[in-house]
């Protein structure tokens, strides 16, 4: 059965196992809107029955829309380039935001929800190009002749932070860019031993996780100093609980920012919370998880003395190369 050929199940809940994401990536960029810096969040979510991109503007919150990337996987069904106009008449009179996108034939790395090439997503404000991501510059130039579209005119936007929810049993893989270079990050956890691999080479081994379920160490990626934080309390405490997840942070420079979770991310974390509650867990959980809260606060306090919170830091890190990769590693049978 081809899922795209039939009606999709309700995606507002994650009650069924088919709606648990195979991969979920949230990228936080710093952009300019009307000469004011703000945060743009792109959330790429892939499940068995859906593949979506949620675009949101923060600080102040202006809008959030979700774009379906299905059925681009199938050669006989093709997405068409799309656009969306947003008129901010209530709080921002005479200000207009327009989105353009093309996910007709995107290419993806293995199991990734975020495309590697053959796509674009664009944001313009009152006819001025403010954000461009992708590589189909010529196609965009033909479609939007009034926008100044050229690599030398509009550079790659600064990526401040990246959150990824990865799913596996003992091994988890992510791909991230550290100061311009793309690397494959591997996390292996087996027999009480944690291994961190970068591009297939082991960078760190942590033994006796029963006692060292939280910690941080310094590693180097192509000569770049990276602070690594881990928190596998859920795994050590819950054993083989399928809903348990480890939290890992790779931090370069001053680190990044962490706007609140929304859309597919929020639904996934709520599902985790409800599963723990249904199982009679005795640990009070007032945030997505106690593990998440502690390791994020720890990572940020190591850089700024605790001046920012784990969910709504407002530091500007795009100019000095600061970047953080946050991995939620979910155990699956």
């Amino acid at each position: 059965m081809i899922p795209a050929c039939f009606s999709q199940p309700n995606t507002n809940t994650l009650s069924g196992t088919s709606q648990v994401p195979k991969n979920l990536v949230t990228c936080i960029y710093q952009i300019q809107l009307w000469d004011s810096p703000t945060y743009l969040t792109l959330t790429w979510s892939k499940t068995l029955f859906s593949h979506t991109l949620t675009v949101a503007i923060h600080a102040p919150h202006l809008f959030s829309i979700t774009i379906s990337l299905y059925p681009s996987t199938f050669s006989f069904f093709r997405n068409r380039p799309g656009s969306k106009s947003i008129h901010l008449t209530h709080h921002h009179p005479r200000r207009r935001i327009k989105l353009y996108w093309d996910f007709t034939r995107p290419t993806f790395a293995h199991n990734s929800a975020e495309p590697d090439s053959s796509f674009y997503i664009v944001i313009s404000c009152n006819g001025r190009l403010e954000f461009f991501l992708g590589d189909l510059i010529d196609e965009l130039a033909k479609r939007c002749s009034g926008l100044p579209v050229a690599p030398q005119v509009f550079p790659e936007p600064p990526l401040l932070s990246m959150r990824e929810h990865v799913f596996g049993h003992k091994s988890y893989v992510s791909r991230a860019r550290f100061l311009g270079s793309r690397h494959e990050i591997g996390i292996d956890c087996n027999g009480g031993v944690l291994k961190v691999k970068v591009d297939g080479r082991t960078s760190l081994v942590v033994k006796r996780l029963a006692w060292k379920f939280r910690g941080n160490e310094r590693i180097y990626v192509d000569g770049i100093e990276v602070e690594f934080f881990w928190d596998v309390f859920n795994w050590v405490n819950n054993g083989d609980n399928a809903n348990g997840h480890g939290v890992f942070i790779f931090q370069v420079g001053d680190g990044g920012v962490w706007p609140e979770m929304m859309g597919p991310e929020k639904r996934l974390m709520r599902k985790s919370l409800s599963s723990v509650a249904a199982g009679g867990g005795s640990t009070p959980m007032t945030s997505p998880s106690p593990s998440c809260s502690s390791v994020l606060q720890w990572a940020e306090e190591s850089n700024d003395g605790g001046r920012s919170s784990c969910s709504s830091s407002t530091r500007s890190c795009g100019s000095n190369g600061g970047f953080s990769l946050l991995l939620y590693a979910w155990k699956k049978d």
Side-chain angles (χ1 to χ4, degrees):
M1 183 181 78
I2 300 175
C5 295
F6 300 88
S7 60
Q8 297 181 8
N10 184 5
T11 57
N12 292 325
T13 63
L14 288 171
S15 57
T17 57
S18 65
Q19 285 303 292
V20 174
K22 294 181 178 180
N23 187 262
L24 185 58
V25 181
T26 296
C27 299
I28 298 99
Y29 299 88
Q30 187 173 47
I31 66 172
Q32 296 284 327
L33 287 183
W34 304 289
D35 298 322
S36 297
T38 188
Y39 297 134
L40 168 69
T41 297
L42 302 183
T43 301
W44 310 86
S45 176
K46 184 177 182 180
T47 73
L48 178 62
F49 290 99
S50 68
H51 194 171
T52 61
L53 165 64
T54 299
V55 183
I57 296 288
H58 302 267
H61 180 79
L62 296 179
F63 71 89
S64 174
I65 70 167
T66 298
I67 302 167
S68 176
L69 306 190
Y70 262 172
S72 60
T73 305
F74 305 102
S75 59
F76 46 90
F77 289 134
R78 290 298 182 189
N79 277 341
R80 301 182 64 181
S83 64
K84 174 72 174 179
S85 294
I86 301 172
H87 298 273
L88 305 176
T89 56
H90 183 61
H91 296 290
H92 303 277
R94 297 185 301 277
R95 291 184 175 180
R96 181 172 60 89
I97 293 177
K98 188 159 187 177
L99 278 69
Y100 302 89
W101 63 85
D102 187 345
F103 298 105
T104 305
R105 291 179 174 86
T107 61
F108 299 87
H110 180 64
N111 286 335
S112 177
E114 182 184 15
D116 279 342
S117 61
S118 302
F119 78 100
Y120 66 74
I121 175 76
V122 170
I123 297 177
S124 69
C125 298
N126 291 351
R128 176 180 173 183
L129 183 65
E130 298 289 2
F131 177 83
F132 175 87
L133 184 67
D135 57 353
L136 300 181
I137 297 177
D138 293 338
E139 285 78 357
L140 177 62
K142 295 176 183 177
R143 182 182 174 193
C144 308
S145 58
L147 291 176
V149 181
Q152 64 274 18
V153 174
F154 203 79
E156 183 175 345
L159 177 62
L160 304 186
S161 303
M162 175 176 166
R163 287 194 301 258
E164 183 168 7
H165 298 252
V166 290
F167 301 83
H169 183 55
K170 297 177 181 179
S171 298
Y172 309 87
V173 177
S174 176
R175 296 165 183 84
R177 185 181 299 274
F178 291 96
L179 299 180
S181 299
R182 186 171 291 276
H183 300 277
E184 182 178 274
I185 308 297
I187 301 288
D188 293 336
C189 188
N190 188 21
V193 178
L194 174 69
K195 292 184 180 180
V196 180
K197 298 180 180 179
V198 180
D199 298 329
R201 298 187 297 271
T202 300
S203 298
L204 179 67
V205 178
V206 181
K207 300 180 180 180
R208 295 186 293 275
L209 283 180
W211 295 285
K212 298 180 181 179
F213 51 82
R214 292 190 182 113
N216 72 299
E217 291 285 349
R218 189 169 299 164
I219 64 175
Y220 290 87
V221 178
D222 286 348
I224 299 171
E225 182 179 293
V226 179
E227 195 75 15
F228 171 65
F229 300 81
W230 72 89
D231 190 333
V232 293
F233 174 80
N234 286 336
W235 291 350
V236 173
N237 188 54
N238 297 328
D240 294 329
N241 178 14
N243 292 298
H245 62 276
V247 184
F248 307 95
I249 297 177
F250 297 82
Q251 192 159 270
V252 180
D254 289 341
V257 296
W258 307 108
E260 297 287 350
M261 290 184 178
M262 58 189 308
E265 273 197 296
K266 182 179 290 187
R267 292 196 295 270
L268 177 62
M269 300 307 285
R270 284 177 176 172
K271 175 180 170 63
S272 176
L273 283 171
S274 63
S275 298
V276 172
S282 59
T283 303
M285 300 179 70
T286 58
S287 63
S289 82
S291 173
C292 162
S293 175
S294 63
V295 73
L296 273 174
Q297 288 176 341
W298 183 9
E300 291 200 334
E301 287 170 3
S302 70
N303 280 326
D304 63 6
R307 290 187 296 273
S308 58
S309 69
C310 69
S311 63
S312 58
S313 169
T314 56
R315 288 173 292 158
S316 175
C317 308
S319 60
N320 60 12
F323 171 77
S324 290
L325 169 65
L326 169 59
L327 292 180
Y328 290 93
W330 299 79
K331 280 191 173 183
K332 291 297 175 186
D333 294 331

